Amino acid sequence: MLIMCSLFYYLGVSTQREIIMHYRYIIYSEKRDNYYSGQTKNVDNRVDKHNKGHSLATRGGEPWKLKKVIEFEIKSEAIKAENWIKRMKSH
């Protein structure tokens, strides 16, 4: 193990798993009086895409305003939260 760790160090490879955060976000359109929930790794970039009409689901509601961001270490948890939010929206 020591040899392998030394080799990784020499090669510049991290032995620690890099944590990539996932974000659940909620945006709001005054034009539509509607909220939209999604998940992404880069919130600013994603909201910018919504405001440029890159998403069929939100096109025509521009400008979208960011209302809430929730951080998750695991993508599957962000997706579970999205599904829960969408279920609550339909009640």
Side-chain angles (χ1 to χ4, degrees):
M1 181 65 177
L2 181 58
I3 294 170
M4 196 59 120
C5 287
S6 297
L7 177 61
F8 284 145
Y9 178 79
Y10 176 75
L11 295 174
V13 177
S14 174
T15 56
Q16 301 263 333
R17 192 176 132 203
E18 184 179 337
I19 296 175
I20 299 171
M21 299 305 292
H22 295 272
Y23 302 92
R24 161 81 22 235
Y25 65 92
I26 299 173
I27 54 178
Y28 176 74
S29 166
E30 282 187 32
K31 185 190 261 185
R32 287 188 177 176
D33 188 27
N34 189 33
Y35 288 91
Y36 178 84
S37 172
Q39 69 88 25
T40 187
K41 293 178 192 173
N42 184 326
V43 175
D44 293 332
N45 183 50
R46 191 67 188 118
V47 173
D48 187 50
K49 286 186 175 194
H50 284 294
N51 281 319
K52 289 181 177 175
H54 291 260
S55 171
L56 288 174
T58 58
R59 190 176 296 157
E62 302 86 352
W64 290 89
K65 295 184 179 161
L66 186 62
K67 292 295 185 177
K68 183 75 175 171
V69 177
I70 306 165
E71 192 174 75
F72 295 89
E73 288 185 14
I74 302 168
K75 183 178 181 178
S76 63
E77 294 301 316
I79 293 169
K80 285 179 190 176
E82 177 180 16
N83 293 336
W84 182 83
I85 290 168
K86 288 182 178 180
R87 277 195 312 273
M88 293 299 107
K89 238 173 61 167
S90 65
H91 283 112

